[in-house]
Amino acid sequence: MSEQSMILVIDDEEAIRESLIDILEFNGFHVLAADEGKRGIDLFQQHRAAIGLIILDMLMPGMSGTDTLRQLRRIDPTITILLSSGYDEDEISYIFDDAAIDQANTHFLQKPYSLTTVIGVTRSLLQKA
């Protein structure tokens, strides 16, 4: 695993955010969390050198997941981002196309997902980071 092993979770749903924090920390990951896009961007700027993966909810009030993704890409175009949504991958692709977002280092995990799936995907993405 690289030096950048911290995970930033940005999700407005408290139950999902807290569950992710618990399961990731239980599996040995260091986790930061934000309940909205602006706070997530602030945390990323403060801890950028340590963060290897961002798990980002696509639908949030205030700053949307798409706008948050754009801002994160402006700060660091190479950061690995795992988008999480109840939408399916085709709908997310449409959002990408519509928002003209570069899909490099951007991955997708559809909600609801199992805990073993999120741990497996997280480990895999951090190893590539």
Side-chain angles (χ1 to χ4, degrees), residues 4-23:
Q4 294 179 311
S5 61
M6 188 176 287
I7 300 166
L8 173 58
V9 174
I10 306 172
D11 197 310
D12 66 307
E13 293 181 55
E14 184 176 3
I16 291 173
R17 190 176 61 252
E18 293 298 324
S19 294
L20 268 175
I21 292 167
D22 289 347
I23 192 66

Side-chain angles (χ1 to χ4, degrees), residues 50-128:
I51 295 172
L53 174 66
I54 299 171
I55 300 175
L56 175 62
D57 182 27
M58 287 303 295
L59 289 178
M60 296 183 290
M63 181 180 276
S64 71
T66 303
D67 289 340
T68 302
L69 180 60
R70 277 194 192 104
Q71 290 288 344
L72 292 166
R73 287 282 178 236
R74 283 188 193 121
I75 297 165
D76 184 350
T78 66
I79 186 66
T80 302
I81 298 176
L82 178 59
L83 299 175
S84 175
S85 174
Y87 287 131
D88 67 27
E89 200 158 1
D90 289 337
E91 292 168 312
I92 291 298
S93 293
Y94 174 77
I95 292 170
F96 275 139
D97 292 342
D98 188 48
I101 296 171
D102 181 3
Q103 293 186 40
N105 295 324
T106 305
H107 308 273
F108 177 73
L109 185 61
Q110 186 172 2
K111 291 179 182 177
Y113 43 77
S114 73
L115 298 178
T116 54
T117 299
V118 77
I119 292 301
V121 170
T122 298
R123 280 197 178 113
S124 173
L125 293 176
L126 280 174
Q127 287 172 351
K128 294 176 188 175

Side-chain angles (χ1 to χ4, degrees), residues 39-56:
R39 176 78 178 126
I41 290 166
D42 291 344
L43 283 172
F44 182 61
Q45 288 176 316
Q46 292 167 18
H47 302 278
R48 183 174 168 185
I51 295 172
L53 174 66
I54 299 171
I55 300 175
L56 175 62

